[in-house]
Amino acid sequence: MGRMRDGQGTLVVWGESADVSVPLEIAASYRARTKGLLGRESVEGAILLSPANSVHTFRMRMAIDVAYLDRRMKVIAVRTMTPGRLGRPRLRARHVLEAEAGAMAGWGLRVGARVEVSGRG
């Protein structure tokens, strides 16, 4: 997987019964990753932080779902984090996906699932 750039794309979650496509914001620069979802009331779809292996929710206004992805875009952990938390770094994680709390379960995103990013950068 090549190096990503900031921009818009589509996240495809490969599901058991159906594939789900979600609007995706890609945050690959230090500045974009640092800002992430800070100060937002909501997020349309998801945001991918790359490279990243941990996140925090300090100064966040909402609870979020966080999925840690390995270098092959396989989900290695999924957590829901409330504002004011520090997530522990995941050793094998290379990317972190963030969405509104509850969204990932609706997409069928869970440990072991594979995702794909299209139209990146």
Side-chain angles (χ1 to χ4, degrees):
M1 166 157 199
R3 182 155 174 84
M4 292 190 205
R5 293 196 311 256
D6 293 347
Q8 304 295 318
T10 302
L11 176 75
V12 179
V13 180
W14 302 106
E16 291 173 8
S17 55
D19 301 334
V20 178
S21 294
V22 178
L24 183 68
E25 185 177 326
I26 301 165
S29 67
Y30 176 78
R31 183 177 181 165
R33 288 192 318 267
T34 301
K35 186 174 189 303
L37 295 177
L38 293 178
R40 298 192 200 185
E41 299 290 338
S42 65
V43 59
E44 182 68 34
I47 184 170
L48 179 70
L49 308 176
S50 178
N53 68 355
S54 69
V55 295
H56 69 81
T57 58
F58 300 122
R59 298 185 5 240
M60 287 251 184
R61 297 179 180 181
M62 61 185 170
I64 60 170
D65 282 347
V66 178
Y68 299 88
L69 311 173
D70 69 11
R71 67 179 71 247
R72 292 184 195 89
M73 303 301 280
K74 183 176 172 187
V75 179
I76 56 176
V78 179
R79 297 284 178 265
T80 299
M81 293 177 64
T82 55
R85 301 302 230 182
L86 178 64
R88 68 172 214 231
R90 302 287 169 163
L91 222 43
R92 293 181 6 243
R94 295 295 176 263
H95 318 278
V96 175
L97 195 60
E98 297 179 342
E100 284 191 37
M104 291 183 183
W107 303 335
L109 194 90
R110 59 185 172 281
V111 173
R114 286 201 184 275
V115 300
E116 181 179 302
V117 174
S118 63
R120 60 179 181 248

